[in-house]
């Protein structure tokens, strides 16, 4: 049965965690020095302890992200060193390492578990001399603390800024739902508050008619958390030091040891090829935007803070399409209900609302059934609020596996978004790109929740290489553009009228609007990240590298004050260091899989969907993704499928 989400021990949490870890360290040491070399006697208990730690710590980690407070911050920050020290000690436990190397098995899942464990021990310094092990432990501890500091600096800076607009002309053209969220009264006068929270920020950058205010908001956003410059320097210094200690030339080489891509040159060639294929079309798209801004408003010089505003106008001009047009048809709960119905139909599942404790009144939990048998649980927390960090993500909590007693544990996961909250006059309405985001995160969730693997460390998203973990999420989001899918849940929130066929056609037509510019922006992030980790950059060198990368990838140069890297949480506060290329690497798989699962008319090929479920979703990390993909379709994915998906080069 599932865990109950509750966290009423914030004051004592670090102390309780310390006791749990102390007990586990003792138990692990006993296993390491036992006489048995049997998988069930050694590895299974280790996996049960992994699950126990996850069940205890994940609620705090989750709450610190979605309902951040001084109490969660304090408990979280005090807990991180304990966990970091625990993992460092276990990963350098020579007796356990030697024990795992002696274990033999004919079971493919178990063999993968052992391969991963032995690899990770080596990457954690198990073969280093004792003095260097201690040095590595100190590095990992400090990196953990720096990552949290980077994230907290960014959250604090985001929450500290607001732009107050008191002139109605300066908000003319903004969607009513965004105006409603921003509107407040002060001394009898109506004013509008815009913040650096993504829904609010994007609303003004996309629709705000006052160029000076757009620039002001853009400057605030791109210069957030300047104190992160020093944090970045130290993170990069420690990562390079860690890689060298472990015998690698740089952090990128170290990171690739557990990835689908195996060589630095392979990644760089992949990014360079996509850049070359996209650059010419990107320049054409930018010139089209410049010309439109010139003809529309006599704008002589297009700046970065103009792009979203004029892109939205140009898209509306070309396709009569405005994201605002879609919002009345995408009421959040109807979208969620529709998504669950679609996933149920495709993969033979059923989602049922369940009344269980949650951390906020807007959270929606569901139990998942397969063949009327309980199979998992999912929680949706989709509304933006001040205490929640920005963006959207999926976080696993419980994992599907079979324990030492033969009991099957069921999986659970959280899907988190930052969509516009409901107001007194308007329900929570999503832009179409919000719908795409929800599909994306659901793709991650079902990869974890639909597992049938018995070994915890390769079940669900566990054990899946970073550069293919985005494959299932990107695959599912592609269907959020299909008319047949959208018709199932797109009804006007006021009168219940279905979304017009013409609007569906315009959504599809506008899908690849400025696709090459979007591709180049992602390639900029990926190339910067990967090159940043190939040697040590410090101080101004970081910005110089970013500027150099932009010469290759960006047709439009941002203002000199732009310090994007200070907010690049994916690589400095997340798991994507030397791995941001993963989004595009995985997207080749997702695009190729998408075209395998739809016919020329856009209809779903059920047989292929069943194969996708059987070979990809249910197998988790139990085998290399390239092998699973080959099993499913009998071939490797085609790079051309990604370009086809975006209409690049047509």
């Amino acid at each position: 049965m599932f865990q109950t989400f509750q966290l009423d021990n914030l004051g004592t949490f670090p102390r309780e965690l310390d006791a749990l870890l102390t007990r586990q360290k003792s138990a692990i040491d006993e296993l390491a020095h036992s006489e048995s070399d049997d998988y069930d006697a050694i590895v299974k208990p280790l996996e049960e302890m992994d699950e126990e730690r996850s069940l205890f710590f994940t609620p705090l980690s989750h709450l610190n992200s979605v309902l951040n407070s001084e109490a969660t911050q304090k408990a979280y920050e005090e807990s991180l060193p304990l966990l970091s020290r625990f993992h460092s000690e276990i990963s350098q436990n020579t007796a356990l390492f030697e024990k795992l190397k002696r274990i033999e098995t004919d079971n493919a899942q178990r063999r993968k578990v052992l391969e991963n464990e032995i690899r990770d021990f080596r990457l954690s310094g198990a073969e280093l001399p004792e003095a260097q092990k201690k040095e590595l432990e100190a590095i990992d501890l400090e990196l953990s603390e720096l990552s949290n500091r980077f994230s907290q600096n960014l959250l604090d800076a985001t929450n500290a800024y607001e732009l107050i607009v008191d002139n109605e002309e300066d908000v003319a053209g903004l969607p009513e739902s965004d105006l409603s969220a921003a509107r407040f009264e002060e001394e009898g006068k109506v004013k509008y508050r815009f913040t650096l929270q993504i829904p609010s920020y994007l609303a003004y950058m996309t629709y705000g008619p006052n160029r000076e205010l757009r620039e002001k908001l853009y400057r605030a956003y791109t210069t957030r958390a300047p104190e992160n410059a020093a944090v970045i320097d130290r993170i990069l210094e420690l990562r390079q030091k860690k890689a060298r200690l472990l015998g690698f030339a740089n952090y990128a080489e170290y990171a690739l040891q557990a990835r689908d891509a195996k060589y630095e040159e392979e990644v760089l060639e992949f990014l360079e090829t996509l850049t070359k294929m996209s650059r010419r079309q990107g320049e054409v798209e930018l010139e089209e935007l410049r010309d439109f801004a010139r003809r529309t408003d006599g704008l002589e010089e297009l700046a970065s803070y103009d792009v979203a505003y004029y892109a939205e106008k140009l898209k509306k001009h070309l396709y009569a399409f405005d994201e605002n047009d879609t919002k009345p048809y995408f009421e959040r709960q109807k979208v969620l209900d529709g998504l669950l119905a679609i996933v149920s139909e495709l993969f033979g599942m059923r989602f049922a609302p369940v009344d269980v404790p949650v951390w906020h009144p807007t959270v929606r939990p569901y139990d998942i059934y397969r063949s009327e048998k309980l199979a998992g649980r999912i929680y949706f927390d989709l509304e933006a609020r001040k205490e929640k960090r920005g963006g959207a993500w999926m976080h696993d909590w419980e994992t599907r596996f079979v324990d030492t007693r033969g009991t099957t544990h069921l999986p659970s996961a959280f899907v988190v978004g930052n969509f516009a909250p409901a107001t007194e006059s308007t329900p929570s309405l999503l832009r179409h790109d919000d719908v795409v985001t929800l599909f994306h995160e659901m793709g991650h969730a079902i990869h974890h929740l639909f597992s049938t693997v018995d070994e915890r460390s390769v079940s669900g998203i566990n054990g899946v290489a970073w550069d293919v973990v985005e494959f299932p999420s990107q695959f599912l989001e592609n269907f959020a553009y299909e008319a047949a899918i959208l018709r199932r849940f797109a009804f006007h929130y006021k009168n219940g009228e279905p979304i017009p066929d013409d609007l569906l056609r315009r959504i599809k037509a506008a899908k690849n609007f400025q696709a090459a510019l979007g591709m180049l922006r992602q390639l900029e992030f990926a190339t910067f990240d990967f090159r940043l980790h190939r040697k040590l950059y410090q101080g101004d060198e970081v910005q110089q590298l970013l500027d150099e990368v932009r010469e290759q990838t960006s047709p439009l140069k941002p203002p000199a004050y732009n310090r994007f890297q200070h907010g690049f949480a994916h690589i400095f506060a997340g798991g994507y260091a030397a791995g941001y290329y993963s989004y595009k690497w995985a997207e080749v798989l997702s695009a190729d899989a998408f075209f395998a699962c739809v016919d020329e008319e856009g209809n779903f090929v059920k047989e292929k969907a069943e194969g996708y479920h059987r070979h990809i979703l249910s197998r988790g990390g139990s085998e290399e993704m390239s092998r699973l993909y080959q099993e499913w379709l009998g071939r490797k994915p085609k790079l051309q499928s990604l370009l086809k998906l975006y209409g690049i080069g047509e």
Side-chain angles (χ1 to χ4, degrees):
M1 194 45 75
F2 301 105
Q3 293 289 303
T4 299
F5 192 97
Q6 58 183 22
L7 196 63
D8 50 12
N9 60 338
L10 284 173
T12 59
F13 190 95
R15 189 163 66 250
E16 291 177 38
L17 175 63
D18 192 32
L20 169 65
L21 297 179
T22 300
R23 176 169 53 78
Q24 287 200 354
K25 275 188 280 191
S26 177
I28 290 169
D29 204 47
E30 283 184 28
L31 291 174
H33 291 92
S34 69
E35 294 184 3
S36 175
D37 288 340
D38 179 68
Y39 186 98
D40 284 302
I42 304 299
V43 182
K44 277 292 188 181
L46 290 173
E47 294 206 321
E48 288 184 17
M49 284 186 265
D50 287 344
E51 183 73 358
E52 183 184 27
R53 287 195 307 278
S54 176
L55 296 180
F56 185 81
F57 183 70
T58 298
L60 173 62
S61 172
H62 179 66
L63 210 61
N64 195 50
S65 294
V66 300
L67 211 60
N68 186 273
S69 67
E70 287 186 12
T72 64
Q73 285 179 41
K74 185 173 186 295
Y76 187 70
E77 288 170 3
E78 290 178 9
S79 297
L80 283 180
L82 302 176
L83 279 171
S84 180
R85 192 176 302 115
F86 172 85
H87 287 301
S88 292
E89 288 179 15
I90 300 305
S91 65
Q92 294 175 16
N93 186 321
T94 306
L96 182 59
F97 180 43
E98 294 301 324
K99 171 78 71 178
L100 291 171
K101 287 195 289 185
R102 291 195 298 270
I103 296 174
E104 296 181 356
T105 178
D106 293 328
N107 180 288
Q109 288 184 13
R110 294 181 167 195
R111 194 160 52 244
K112 186 70 167 71
V113 170
L114 289 169
E115 287 173 4
N116 289 356
E117 289 288 349
I118 292 167
R119 176 201 67 200
D120 292 345
F121 261 99
R122 287 178 172 141
L123 292 178
S124 298
E127 296 173 323
L128 292 177
E130 197 59 37
Q132 290 183 322
K133 283 183 180 179
K134 292 294 182 186
E135 188 178 358
L136 189 62
E137 183 180 343
I139 288 172
D140 285 336
L141 174 59
E142 188 175 352
L143 281 172
S144 176
E145 293 168 344
L146 287 166
S147 173
N148 185 55
R149 190 186 310 165
F150 184 99
S151 184
Q152 195 63 51
N153 287 344
L154 193 59
L155 180 64
D156 291 345
T158 298
N159 288 338
Y161 180 87
E162 59 181 33
L163 174 70
I164 305 300
V165 179
D166 57 10
N167 189 336
E168 292 289 339
E169 290 182 3
D170 292 335
V171 294
L174 266 79
E176 176 52 39
S177 56
D178 291 321
L179 285 175
S180 178
R183 189 182 290 117
F184 71 101
E185 277 196 31
E186 189 174 66
E187 296 177 355
K189 182 175 175 59
V190 174
K191 298 181 180 180
Y192 301 88
R193 178 184 291 107
F194 295 95
T195 71
L196 302 184
Q197 299 284 347
I198 285 296
S200 180
Y201 174 75
L202 287 182
Y204 203 84
M205 295 307 295
T206 306
Y207 300 103
N210 187 318
R211 191 181 190 221
E212 288 184 7
L213 293 182
R214 288 202 309 271
E215 198 274 340
K216 192 173 183 180
L217 201 58
Y218 172 88
R219 182 187 287 265
Y221 189 82
T222 59
T223 58
R224 287 178 300 168
E227 61 271 31
N228 275 346
V231 179
I232 288 171
D233 278 358
R234 185 60 177 159
I235 286 174
L236 294 175
E237 182 184 356
L238 290 174
R239 284 176 179 169
Q240 178 73 352
K241 195 173 182 181
K242 175 175 180 174
R244 289 285 177 85
L245 264 178
L246 293 167
F248 300 102
N250 54 57
Y251 191 83
E253 184 186 3
Y254 159 79
L256 288 182
Q257 302 307 304
R259 302 267 167 84
D260 192 48
K262 299 305 177 190
Y263 307 104
E264 293 171 68
E265 293 73 18
E266 184 182 11
V267 174
L268 290 171
E269 183 181 352
F270 171 75
L271 295 173
E272 287 167 9
T273 300
L274 283 178
T275 299
K276 288 175 182 175
M277 288 177 160
S278 307
R279 178 74 193 218
R280 184 177 177 185
Q281 184 167 317
E283 289 171 345
V284 170
E285 291 172 359
L286 183 62
E287 189 51 45
E288 181 183 36
L289 192 62
R290 281 194 178 114
D291 183 60
F292 177 76
R294 196 179 298 120
R295 287 186 288 108
T296 304
D297 289 336
L299 193 70
E300 290 302 319
E301 189 68 35
L302 189 77
S304 297
Y305 43 84
D306 299 316
V307 170
Y309 179 73
Y310 285 104
E312 188 64 27
K313 283 183 172 294
L314 178 57
K315 184 163 64 172
K316 190 172 183 179
H317 172 73
L318 292 175
Y319 307 108
F321 178 77
D322 184 333
E323 281 285 358
N324 186 40
D325 295 340
T326 68
K327 287 187 74 170
Y329 295 97
F330 294 130
E331 192 272 313
R332 189 195 65 216
Q333 190 58 43
K334 278 193 169 61
V335 173
L336 181 56
D337 291 343
L339 172 58
L340 297 182
I342 290 157
V343 171
S344 299
E345 181 182 330
L346 292 176
F347 304 119
M349 299 290 188
R350 181 171 69 84
F351 293 82
V354 60
D355 184 14
V356 294
V358 292
W359 54 93
H360 193 271
T362 60
V363 176
R364 297 289 178 266
Y366 295 81
D367 277 349
I368 306 167
Y369 294 85
R370 184 171 181 83
S371 301
E372 291 308 308
K373 185 178 179 182
L374 187 62
R377 178 172 290 173
I378 187 168
Y379 299 79
F380 292 94
D381 181 357
L382 302 179
E383 287 194 8
R385 54 181 172 269
K386 189 175 182 180
E387 304 85 359
K388 185 192 286 187
R389 71 174 171 87
W393 66 92
M394 186 282 291
H395 196 303
D396 57 305
W397 185 15
E398 297 160 282
T399 297
R400 198 267 185 203
F401 76 108
V402 178
D403 66 20
T404 51
R405 297 170 299 281
T407 302
T408 299
H409 293 244
L410 300 180
S412 63
F414 313 123
V415 169
V416 183
N418 269 277
F419 306 140
T423 67
E424 290 183 6
S425 58
T426 313
S428 177
L429 301 175
L430 310 188
R431 294 181 171 88
H432 178 257
D433 59 2
D434 294 330
V435 176
V436 174
T437 296
L438 183 55
F439 270 64
H440 178 101
E441 299 307 334
M442 188 64 176
H444 279 307
I446 63 176
H447 193 197
H448 186 70
L449 297 168
F450 289 4
S451 174
T452 58
V453 176
D454 292 340
E455 306 304 318
R456 183 192 182 278
S457 61
V458 291
S459 180
I461 61 169
N462 295 318
V464 178
W466 265 110
D467 48 3
V468 290
V469 77
E470 293 295 330
F471 162 32
S473 54
Q474 293 167 339
F475 169 79
L476 194 62
E477 79 173 59
N478 289 331
F479 293 94
Y481 293 94
E482 298 302 305
I485 297 292
L486 297 177
R487 282 195 188 98
R488 298 182 177 216
F489 53 76
F491 299 92
H492 200 287
Y493 78 98
K494 285 184 177 178
N495 56 29
E497 289 290 320
I499 190 169
D501 289 344
D502 179 58
L503 184 52
L504 289 171
R505 281 192 294 271
R506 285 182 279 142
I507 288 174
K508 191 72 179 282
K511 171 178 174 283
N512 289 336
F513 174 67
Q514 293 190 335
L517 283 175
M519 175 81 78
L520 288 168
R521 183 164 170 78
Q522 289 297 303
L523 292 169
E524 173 190 315
F525 300 163
T527 306
F528 168 65
D529 162 49
F530 201 76
R531 289 183 57 186
L532 186 66
H533 289 97
R534 295 195 77 204
K535 70 174 189 177
L536 181 59
Y537 292 87
Q538 293 283 280
D540 292 341
E541 294 173 340
V542 176
Q543 186 63 44
Q544 289 165 8
L545 173 64
L546 182 54
D547 293 342
E548 185 182 322
V549 169
R550 282 171 171 163
E551 286 296 322
Q552 304 300 317
T553 58
S554 179
L556 180 66
K557 301 301 176 289
Y561 59 72
N562 181 300
R563 291 295 180 269
F564 156 75
Q565 63 270 29
H566 296 169
F568 200 178
H570 275 79
I571 70 169
F572 296 120
Y576 280 89
Y580 198 86
Y581 76 90
S582 302
Y583 283 104
K584 290 303 170 194
W585 190 270
E587 206 169 9
V588 172
L589 291 163
S590 67
D592 194 59
F594 172 71
F595 288 118
C597 286
V598 293
D599 59 24
E600 292 300 319
E601 284 73 45
N603 298 312
F604 212 84
V605 181
K606 194 69 183 288
E607 179 190 352
K608 285 290 194 296
E610 290 170 354
Y612 174 74
H613 180 237
R614 186 168 64 255
H615 291 284
I616 307 296
L617 294 180
S618 70
R619 303 278 286 279
S622 62
E623 288 193 54
E624 300 293 332
M625 186 61 78
S626 53
R627 186 178 300 173
L628 294 176
Y629 200 92
Q630 184 81 30
E631 274 185 26
W632 177 37
L633 294 180
R635 59 171 176 77
K636 294 180 179 179
K638 303 169 186 173
L639 181 64
Q640 290 78 4
S641 294
L642 179 58
L643 300 173
K644 178 183 176 183
L645 185 72
Y646 284 107
I648 295 174
E650 291 182 356

